[in-house]
Amino acid sequence: MNSEVSYPPGPRGLPVIGNTVELSRDIFAFFEQLRDEYGRVARYEVFGTDACMVAHPDAIQQILLDEHEVFEKGEVLTRNLADAMGEGLFVTGGDQWQNQRTQVQPAFYRERLNTYVPEMRASAEQTVEQWRDGMVIDVNDAMTATTMDVLGRTLFGVDVTENPVVSDASNAILARFDTSRFWSFLPDRLPTPTNRRYRQKLDELHQFVDELAQQRRQQQPENRGNDLLSILVGFVEASDLTMDEFRDNMVTFLFAGHETTALGLTYTLLCLAQHPDIQDTLREEVNTVCDGTVSAEDLSNLERIESVIDEALRLYPPVYMFFREAKRDVTLQGYEIPGGTTLVLPQWVVHRDPEWWDDPETFRPERFNDDYPEYAYFPFGGGPRHCIGMRFARMEMKTVLATVLEEYSFELDSDPDPDLIASTNLKPGEPIAIELHEC
């Protein structure tokens, strides 16, 4: 490396493997230690790959917004997710990304999203109808089933809950990228049992997606509706989207579209289960704002629910870090970063940084009434590549929470500080159980 480059400080790693062992032991502790010992821009190394943690809001804004054209998703992300969604919206860049973003955007216009709320509410009501006073449930299981049903009803117009292919693929992806397992940092071409299962379940998911496309193509265009599946199928028929692009976008939305929202709901309920007083406040808001059932028009007025969701996503961001790669040499917080460096933007570390948040480990929703640096909080990313499903996810979370709170209060029946798995998303490593009480 050029000795004249003022590269950020960081820990010395082992030959060949760099800092991989420390990362696999506890990725959150590793990044927090980087921040505390070396600063909010700090270097490390993984199997010969130069990486740089960027945990300062100003630098994050520079990467995601102000100079976003200088940064791309990068080789680490595109290599790891090539098989799952390499031609999809999440991974692609440049004109390919821009074309796909333009194509799917109509499914996420505000007017269209408002029409999804009755289906979101129906899914939540269906979940709640299965509950009973005194029942103990695994929150993540319940919310995953709910968000999967919502996704099928709204974006794909089919029931995707009865076929286990999506959940099986999600579990295989989770195992493949579990950072607590040393092999998750190894190339996915190595024929480990985890990698073989990952490929098998992805193949099954691709076949499922192809069958959905075939069923929709057999319908006359005027009978298809205007959900996301129909929009994508129409672009394939018009040769504006390849089958690989179609398939990878379907996988992207099937996986990301239900799992991140389910996790957001899971962690929100985890936090609320420990604060019955806040539950009461939210229930009062729901009863005041909603006329028996939550509607699209009500959502903007559920301000306390929104702050609770924000606080849960601050403490437990389902997407806990972003990757970028510098296309050329750049300066971040006074450091010269060589082009080609992998940049890691860890929400977990920034969201819990005492420099930006008072008492950062405490669940305190009212903190969002105070000022904080804009990119000290970025659960859905930022800039032009912010999550296209952000508004959809927020509407769904509000709708589900309002529906639950109308019928039940709940208390935690498991560890208030559960083990967490840092994989493609931030997953609970053990059941999060709550005991239900009818209101």
Side-chain angles (χ1 to χ4, degrees):
M1 185 173 295
N2 189 336
S3 60
E4 296 180 0
V5 172
S6 177
Y7 203 57
R12 294 179 61 87
L14 297 172
V16 182
I17 64 173
N19 304 106
T20 311
V21 172
E22 300 100 304
L23 270 170
S24 63
R25 283 176 181 160
D26 189 334
I27 193 169
F28 304 124
F30 176 76
F31 284 134
E32 287 171 348
Q33 184 176 2
L34 277 187
R35 179 195 67 197
D36 295 342
E37 293 188 10
Y38 298 99
R40 292 174 176 82
V41 177
R43 64 164 177 82
Y44 64 100
E45 184 182 338
V46 180
F47 282 118
T49 298
D50 291 326
C52 182
M53 179 196 74
V54 181
H56 193 291
D58 293 346
I60 293 168
Q61 178 171 325
Q62 179 181 343
I63 293 168
L64 296 182
L65 179 63
D66 297 340
E67 299 178 15
H68 66 88
E69 69 281 353
V70 179
F71 304 91
E72 57 190 359
K73 286 292 181 113
E75 194 264 343
V76 169
L77 187 72
T78 54
R79 181 189 67 231
N80 284 337
L81 294 180
D83 290 323
M85 52 190 80
E87 295 292 318
L89 189 63
F90 182 69
V91 177
T92 55
D95 291 342
Q96 185 180 21
W97 168 79
Q98 187 62 63
N99 290 339
Q100 292 184 17
R101 180 95 178 193
T102 301
Q103 289 166 344
V104 304
Q105 189 69 57
F108 297 95
Y109 287 154
R110 183 183 297 275
E111 296 78 11
R112 181 64 181 153
L113 291 180
N114 286 342
T115 69
Y116 298 151
V117 172
E119 296 290 0
M120 294 174 177
R121 186 181 66 242
S123 292
E125 289 172 345
Q126 184 174 299
T127 297
V128 170
E129 286 170 2
Q130 300 170 16
W131 295 351
R132 297 292 181 269
D133 186 57
M135 181 184 288
V136 176
I137 63 166
D138 182 328
V139 176
N140 193 48
D141 284 351
M143 293 301 102
T144 298
T146 302
T147 57
M148 182 72 78
D149 186 53
V150 169
L151 195 70
R153 288 172 181 257
T154 57
L155 297 187
F156 302 119
V158 294
D159 186 350
V160 296
T161 60
E162 295 183 356
N163 193 324
V165 65
V166 180
S167 58
D168 286 351
S170 294
N171 291 333
I173 293 170
L174 170 69
R176 166 66 186 89
F177 297 106
D178 181 354
T179 60
S180 67
R181 312 291 179 90
F182 187 80
W183 62 68
S184 72
F185 298 95
L186 298 172
D188 60 5
R189 297 297 171 186
L190 294 178
T192 66
T194 300
N195 284 349
R196 288 199 299 270
R197 184 172 185 274
Y198 169 66
R199 269 182 212 299
Q200 176 192 344
K201 295 304 177 183
L202 271 184
D203 288 343
E204 293 173 3
L205 182 58
H206 288 160
Q207 182 179 349
F208 174 69
V209 165
D210 288 347
E211 290 170 357
L212 288 180
Q214 183 60 31
Q215 292 168 10
R216 192 57 56 91
R217 293 182 75 169
Q218 289 173 351
Q219 297 176 328
Q220 293 298 318
E222 63 269 17
N223 297 327
R224 290 177 184 173
N226 57 352
D227 56 27
L228 180 63
L229 175 57
S230 295
I231 290 171
L232 293 178
V233 166
F235 282 120
V236 171
E237 291 176 330
S239 299
D240 292 327
L241 203 66
T242 68
M243 273 305 296
D244 283 342
E245 289 176 315
F246 167 82
R247 186 181 296 116
D248 287 354
N249 273 299
M250 285 289 291
V251 171
T252 298
F253 285 105
L254 280 169
F255 178 64
H258 87 278
E259 182 159 278
T260 52
T261 308
L263 290 168
L265 284 164
T266 294
Y267 295 129
T268 303
L269 290 168
L270 166 67
C271 295
L272 285 175
Q274 301 169 70
H275 295 275
D277 55 328
I278 298 180
Q279 288 183 52
D280 291 340
T281 299
L282 297 188
R283 190 170 297 107
E284 179 182 346
E285 179 179 66
V286 171
N287 291 334
T288 300
V289 171
C290 306
D291 185 17
T293 55
V294 62
S295 67
E297 293 72 25
D298 298 329
L299 295 182
S300 62
N301 295 318
L302 295 175
E303 296 176 356
R304 290 175 177 172
I305 284 185
E306 182 163 356
S307 65
V308 163
I309 291 171
D310 284 338
E311 179 68 342
L313 296 180
R314 183 189 68 82
L315 284 169
Y316 301 100
V319 179
Y320 59 93
M321 63 181 183
F322 282 170
F323 288 96
R324 290 292 188 269
E325 185 176 297
K327 295 181 182 179
R328 56 171 172 77
D329 294 357
V330 295
T331 302
L332 295 174
Q333 293 294 294
Y335 294 108
E336 297 298 321
I337 310 297
T341 301
T342 296
L343 306 176
V344 175
L345 286 56
Q347 284 97 322
W348 176 277
V349 173
V350 181
H351 288 189
R352 290 170 173 253
D353 190 335
E355 181 72 17
W356 325 117
W357 306 99
D358 293 332
D359 197 13
E361 305 292 323
T362 300
F363 179 71
R364 191 158 57 81
E366 64 274 12
R367 74 170 74 245
F368 281 89
N369 296 325
D370 302 329
D371 292 332
Y372 55 90
E374 182 176 0
Y375 280 83
Y377 178 73
F378 59 114
F380 295 95
R385 294 203 64 147
H386 74 275
C387 174
I388 195 171
M390 176 181 68
R391 190 176 292 144
F392 180 97
R394 285 189 170 279
M395 293 176 72
E396 182 178 359
M397 291 178 70
K398 280 188 174 184
T399 301
V400 172
L401 284 173
T403 304
V404 169
L405 287 162
E406 283 180 322
E407 302 293 334
Y408 285 94
S409 62
F410 39 90
E411 58 184 305
L412 193 62
D413 194 47
S414 57
D415 190 340
D417 188 22
D419 290 335
L420 300 171
I421 298 173
S423 182
T424 44
N425 290 321
L426 182 67
K427 297 266 288 186
E430 58 191 84
I432 294 176
I434 61 172
E435 182 175 334
L436 303 165
H437 303 287
E438 286 185 2
C439 295

